[in-house]
Amino acid sequence: NRPFALQKLMHFKDKQLIKVVTGIRRSGKSTLLELFRQQLLVQGVNPAAIQSYNFEDLSLEPLTDYHRLHDTIVSQLRTDCMNYIFIDEIQNVKDFEEEGIHSSW
């Protein structure tokens, strides 16, 4: 459990800005993201408004093209509520840092 870090994320929960969790390998970043996702569900966030992508998962290899990832995310966005998008190991997505990839999220 990471109450301080989770509390900090919850404080910025509905702010329309990108949150970045950084740290050394194996320090619990993925676990923190999962705790945050679970907390959103406990607070009543619609599961359809939460998208999670972990690019250590081989089944997501087709989404490692940033255009495809962008299109997938946009196609699942809800217009009637806040959306939450969790992306783990984003460095595995080629050219993820391209400007504009997240502009329509």
Side-chain angles (χ1 to χ4, degrees), residues 77-91:
L77 290 175
R78 307 251 333 202
T79 58
D80 61 335
C81 61
M82 178 69 78
N83 289 270
Y84 301 89
I85 304 164
F86 295 87
I87 304 177
D88 201 357
E89 303 296 341
I90 188 66
Q91 73 277 5

Side-chain angles (χ1 to χ4, degrees), residues 54-69 89-96:
N54 183 335
F55 287 100
E56 287 186 330
D57 182 348
L58 190 57
S59 71
L60 294 180
E61 188 174 0
L63 297 181
T64 60
D65 171 80
Y66 80 92
H67 290 102
R68 209 159 184 192
L69 174 61
E89 303 296 341
I90 188 66
Q91 73 277 5
N92 293 336
V93 175
K94 184 177 179 340
D95 297 325
F96 76 90

Side-chain angles (χ1 to χ4, degrees), residues 16-53:
Q16 291 191 358
L17 54 97
I18 296 171
K19 292 94 173 148
V20 178
V21 177
T22 63
I24 61 172
R25 265 189 86 59
R26 313 289 307 156
S27 64
K29 298 178 299 291
S30 298
T31 300
L32 179 61
L33 289 178
E34 178 57 24
L35 289 170
F36 186 39
R37 189 187 69 75
Q38 289 175 12
Q39 188 63 36
L40 292 173
L41 294 171
V42 166
Q43 290 187 350
V45 171
N46 184 337
I50 301 172
Q51 297 182 51
S52 294
Y53 305 91

